[in-house]
Amino acid sequence: MNVFKFGGASVKDANAVRNVSRILSLFPKDQLIVVVSAMGKTTNAMEEIVDCLWNRNEKRYMELIEDRYQFHQLIVADLFPEKHYFIYQQMDELFESLKKRFHQPLSDNYNFEYDQIVSLGEVLSTMIVEAFMKEEGHVTAWVDCRKIIRTNHEYREGEVDWAKTEALVKERLLPLFKDKRIAITQGFIGHTSEGFTTTLGREGSDFTAGILAYCTNASGVTIWKDVPGMLNADPKWFDDTIKLQKISFKEAIELSYYGASVIHPKTIKPLQNKGIPLYVKSFIDPSAEGTVIQESMDFDHLVPSFIFKMDQVLMSFTPKDFSFIVEENLGDIFQQLAFYGVKINLMQNSALSFSILFDRSKTDPMKLVEKFKDQYTVRYNEGLELVTIRHYDQATIDRVTVDKDILLEQRTRQTIRMVMKNK
């Protein structure tokens, strides 16, 4: 048993879906669980649809649904030129149900509505992919992950009930392999005990692959991407990137934590717990080796890895009475930051101040200034960048600090993190 995951870019159009079929053909003897994301940028579009529902903008709601319908219709028409295929009826029914939802009672929980609607991108994608795989001669079954992965009621960030999910996998998924070779299912989604749809967090399809691999004791997980494997830096910010041939689970968790975008951070833990290797391979060149993530740490130090976060805000809090920053102050600050949903990328404290770094796009610094101004003097700098280097040396530091002023620096034996601005 192997688990494959195909992201949105790998099923963005009809030719991409055909390429998935070609990749599956390279593994004719393997039993496969194939996890598929929504097509292209559909998740972003579905999020807009939720906003229109919530704000009661019926005209825009219907326009956006029609846009998604036409997008998928073009793909289906290319893959299935004759209208008698059942996929046409399935797609029409799904979009008609989505239109009717506008006139149904609206809950008072935005995140609940989000999960019920945004998850349909994955449902639709897997319907199309599975129908085409069957047409290509693959022996497949469509599996509804809304009946397999059990979570709590934390909509948009569902926490997995591992015991119940394992039981459902054994009851509803594994028996399909008695007469099917490939099970095609959705990434990103699960369900509550009442049957309501939940999602596992943005980019959670990788996590789905890890969950299903854990529950089936799979031989391995392969994530198919438009890159040759895990690179030591994002090509958008760094020239001359190097592919990491082999790294440990520990290193992958560290890189994910610091912001490397190739692997969803939650994916690694269930695989590490059972020693299931994770492969990152190219759907453009599936015969290439890619990257393998496994237990051994022998290879981690061979290549420095760089992670860049742009548009950062560095904010410091100083008590107005010049009292020391102690646990009581920090507890108050953290409580308020959690209330505003601030995700801290780096923090540091001295006797009289506490500093945090966060993404400007996710948090308005003026809201925090307003909140804390009575107790603290709050100062901040914008337009900064955070660079994290794993397995650094002086040459790598020199390389990224040309024409930069370093505002804050933290080092351990293996990692350096620098908050910088242009000179």
Side-chain angles (χ1 to χ4, degrees):
M1 177 75 69
N2 280 287
V3 179
F4 286 178
K5 182 261 178 174
F6 292 93
S10 62
V11 289
K12 65 181 180 180
D13 55 32
N15 284 334
V17 175
R18 292 187 181 97
N19 188 53
V20 170
S21 178
R22 285 191 287 269
I23 291 173
L24 298 186
S25 297
L26 299 175
F27 304 87
K29 296 182 180 180
D30 290 12
Q31 290 183 329
L32 300 173
I33 298 172
V34 178
V35 176
V36 182
S37 297
M39 292 177 156
K41 300 296 184 182
T42 292
T43 299
N44 292 340
M46 299 300 276
E47 288 177 336
E48 287 189 67
I49 290 171
V50 177
D51 286 342
C52 290
L53 174 68
W54 193 253
N55 295 318
R56 311 311 296 155
N57 186 343
E58 183 175 6
K59 181 176 183 293
R60 184 60 178 156
Y61 180 84
M62 297 302 175
E63 288 173 351
L64 289 169
I65 290 175
E66 182 63 23
D67 174 76
R68 280 302 93 190
Y69 177 79
Q70 293 301 330
F71 170 81
H72 289 88
Q73 179 76 9
L74 284 173
I75 295 173
V76 169
D78 196 335
L79 296 173
F80 307 95
E82 298 178 22
K83 290 276 189 176
H84 66 78
Y85 284 95
F86 182 53
I87 186 62
Y88 284 95
Q89 179 183 335
Q90 287 180 300
M91 192 168 73
D92 287 347
E93 289 175 354
L94 186 149
F95 277 101
E96 190 60 33
S97 174
L98 186 55
K99 289 178 181 178
K100 290 179 179 178
R101 190 176 185 90
F102 191 89
H103 301 290
Q104 295 170 355
L106 191 66
S107 80
D108 58 1
N109 185 338
Y110 176 90
N111 291 341
F112 172 84
E113 298 293 342
Y114 178 101
D115 281 3
Q116 310 319 300
I117 291 176
V118 174
S119 58
L120 296 177
E122 271 71 17
V123 173
L124 184 58
S125 176
T126 52
M127 284 178 174
I128 295 170
V129 170
E130 197 271 334
F132 184 72
M133 296 305 120
K134 193 169 272 136
E135 185 68 12
E136 290 278 281
H138 299 287
V139 183
T140 63
W142 184 80
V143 176
D144 191 343
C145 228
R146 295 171 298 181
K147 301 185 186 307
I148 300 292
I149 294 180
R150 174 67 60 81
T151 74
N152 64 358
H153 296 77
E154 192 68 31
Y155 296 103
R156 295 186 73 175
E157 288 287 347
E159 293 185 13
V160 177
D161 181 334
W162 289 92
K164 186 60 180 177
T165 298
E166 281 194 272
L168 291 171
V169 165
K170 290 176 182 176
E171 175 189 336
R172 299 176 180 177
L173 175 58
L174 290 179
L176 297 173
F177 288 97
K178 291 177 182 177
D179 55 8
K180 306 293 184 182
R181 189 175 73 82
I182 300 172
I184 296 177
T185 193
Q186 308 78 34
F188 176 58
I189 62 178
H191 71 288
T192 67
S193 56
E194 299 89 352
F196 294 121
T197 303
T198 55
T199 62
L200 305 177
R202 204 67 156 81
E203 309 297 333
S205 293
D206 290 356
F207 187 31
T208 301
I211 294 167
L212 296 179
Y214 177 92
C215 293
T216 58
N217 295 307
S219 300
V221 174
T222 302
I223 296 177
W224 297 93
K225 300 184 75 71
D226 57 357
V227 291
M230 283 193 73
L231 304 177
N232 72 323
D234 189 331
K236 288 188 299 185
W237 308 114
F238 208 80
D239 296 328
D240 304 321
T241 56
I242 300 171
K243 180 169 69 71
L244 305 175
Q245 302 283 9
K246 185 182 289 188
I247 62 172
S248 68
F249 291 121
K250 179 179 181 294
E251 183 70 9
I253 290 171
E254 293 282 2
L255 293 172
S256 297
Y257 172 79
Y258 290 127
S261 60
V262 173
I263 303 297
H264 190 281
K266 292 181 180 178
T267 306
I268 305 297
K269 187 176 184 298
L271 302 181
Q272 189 273 336
N273 287 350
K274 288 196 173 180
I276 300 170
L278 173 63
Y279 303 91
V280 182
K281 300 190 68 172
S282 167
F283 62 73
I284 300 168
D285 184 11
S287 62
E289 283 190 8
T291 298
V292 58
I293 302 169
Q294 39 69 67
E295 195 68 47
S296 172
M297 294 185 284
D298 293 345
F299 306 88
D300 292 347
H301 67 284
L302 298 179
V303 179
S305 292
F306 304 81
I307 300 148
F308 293 79
K309 283 182 175 288
M310 312 304 285
D311 196 21
Q312 299 292 294
V313 177
L314 181 63
M315 180 172 284
S316 66
F317 305 86
T318 303
K320 288 191 171 182
D321 61 1
F322 278 84
S323 60
F324 290 155
I325 287 286
V326 293
E327 288 78 5
E328 184 178 351
N329 304 109
L330 292 175
D332 173 58
I333 292 171
F334 278 123
Q335 185 176 25
Q336 297 303 325
L337 293 176
F339 177 80
Y340 281 96
V342 179
K343 304 291 186 183
I344 300 173
N345 296 326
L346 180 147
M347 56 186 171
Q348 185 163 301
N349 69 286
S350 66
L352 296 176
S353 71
F354 175 64
S355 299
I356 62 170
L357 190 78
F358 55 87
D359 296 328
R360 176 67 175 83
S361 62
K362 297 177 182 176
T363 303
D364 181 355
M366 287 307 299
K367 286 186 178 180
L368 298 183
V369 171
E370 186 65 25
K371 178 62 184 176
F372 288 100
K373 67 179 183 180
D374 292 339
Q375 290 179 270
Y376 300 92
T377 299
V378 183
R379 297 183 177 90
Y380 66 91
N381 289 311
E382 294 186 272
L384 308 179
E385 58 187 272
L386 171 64
V387 179
T388 302
I389 310 174
R390 289 280 293 166
H391 311 293
Y392 63 91
D393 54 28
Q394 192 57 47
T396 61
I397 295 171
D398 294 342
R399 185 176 180 183
V400 300
T401 56
V402 175
D403 295 326
K404 304 287 185 180
D405 284 328
I406 301 174
L407 280 65
L408 188 153
E409 178 183 308
Q410 293 180 350
R411 293 191 191 212
T412 65
R413 283 178 295 174
Q414 295 179 323
T415 305
I416 184 168
R417 311 191 77 197
M418 296 175 288
V419 180
M420 307 186 301
K421 67 177 181 179
N422 294 326
K423 285 187 177 179

